[in-house]
Amino acid sequence: MPETPHPGNTERLHRYWDRHAHTYDREMAFFERVLFGDGRAWVCTQATGNVLEVAIGTGRNLAYYPDTVTLTGIDLSPAMLDIARQRAQDLGRTVDLHVGDAQALDLPDASFDTVVCTLSLCAVPDVHRALAEMKRVLRPGGRLLLLDHVAGSPWHVRAAQRLLETITIRIGGEHLRRRPLLQAQTEGFTIERQERYKLGIVERLVARKPPTFVTLSSDTTATANDPTDTTARPSA
C-alpha cells in the first residue's frame, strides 16, 4: 500500500464536498448538458464483472451500469454517499458504498475487473497516486474507464483554463489542465480507446492493465492469468 496522503489536504476536500453535496447534482446537470453529453453512459455501459467506482459522489452514474455488474463505490464525502445511497435505493440498484480516498484505497490487490472514475481525477490532489491505486486493485487484464475535463486543444482555451485555475484550485482543488491519458500511460496502462471533443476539453478513454507475464524458459513466455494455459504460474 502507498503512504497515506497528507491528512490536511484530504480533510479540506472532505469538508468542501460535504458542504457542496446537496447542490452538486444541480450544478453538474448544467455542465453535462453543455459539455459531457453521453459521457457517463459511454463509460458505464462498458463496465463488466466486479466493478469499483472511485469518487462515486452522489451516484450520478448508477443508472447507466449494466444489471450484470457487481458494484462497489467509494467517495471521500459521507454526505455525497448518503445521496448516492438514496439514489441506489430509488433505482433498485445494489451497491456497496464506503468512505474512502482515491489515493489510498482500502481494498485488496487485483480484486476488480473494471475501475471507473468520472469527472473526479481533476480534483484528486495526487492523480499519479490515484491511478497507481486503481491499477493495484485491478486484476491483470482489467479495464480502467475514465471521463474527465482536460487541457483543451487550442492554445487560447488552455490559457483561459490556466486563468480559471487560479480560482478553482484554491477553492475546491479542481485542476482544469490535467491529462489522465498521459498519466495512465505513465502508470503502465495500455490505452485501447480514446476520444476528445468540445475543443478537446472533454476526454474519455478505455485503458487496460497489462496481463501478468512469467517466463517459463529461455524461449517461452506465458500469461499468468490465462485460464487455458495450465503451465503458467503467477510471478512472485
Side-chain angles (χ1 to χ4, degrees), residues 1 7 28 44 80 95 103-104 112 115 118 141 143 152 159 167 171 189 192 198 212 227 231:
M1 292 286 290
M28 283 306 302
C44 296
M80 300 279 267
V95 54
Q103 303 165 110
F112 293 93
V115 172
T118 61
R143 289 197 300 176
I167 300 170
I171 294 176
F189 284 97
E192 294 189 337
K198 297 290 184 178
T212 303
T231 61

Side-chain angles (χ1 to χ4, degrees), residues 55-84:
I56 196 170
T58 61
R60 291 185 68 83
N61 288 334
L62 290 174
Y64 301 109
Y65 285 106
D67 292 336
T68 52
V69 304
T70 300
L71 185 60
T72 300
I74 67 104
D75 200 90
L76 197 60
S77 165
M80 300 279 267
L81 286 176
D82 285 344
I83 297 172

Side-chain angles (χ1 to χ4, degrees), residues 184-203:
Q185 288 174 321
T186 299
E187 291 299 328
F189 284 97
T190 300
I191 308 302
E192 294 189 337
R193 185 175 177 187
Q194 177 257 358
E195 298 179 7
R196 290 178 74 182
Y197 52 100
K198 297 290 184 178
L199 297 176
I201 294 173
V202 181
E203 184 169 62

Side-chain angles (χ1 to χ4, degrees), residues 38-51 61 64-69 113-116 142-147 192-195 204-208:
D38 66 345
R40 292 185 186 275
W42 187 93
V43 166
C44 296
T45 55
Q46 298 186 69
T48 58
N50 198 18
V51 179
N61 288 334
Y64 301 109
Y65 285 106
D67 292 336
T68 52
V69 304
D113 302 296
T114 308
V115 172
V116 170
R143 289 197 300 176
L144 175 68
L145 304 173
L146 300 180
L147 168 72
E192 294 189 337
R193 185 175 177 187
Q194 177 257 358
E195 298 179 7
R204 55 195 191 185
L205 64 90
V206 179
R208 192 174 294 275

Side-chain angles (χ1 to χ4, degrees), residues 70 87 136 223:
T70 300
R87 177 169 269 135
R136 179 183 65 79
T223 307

Side-chain angles (χ1 to χ4, degrees), residues 157 159-170 174 176:
V157 171
Q161 289 174 312
R162 182 176 183 179
L163 183 62
L164 286 170
E165 279 183 332
T166 62
I167 300 170
T168 61
I169 293 175
R170 177 173 54 84
E174 186 172 2
L176 305 179

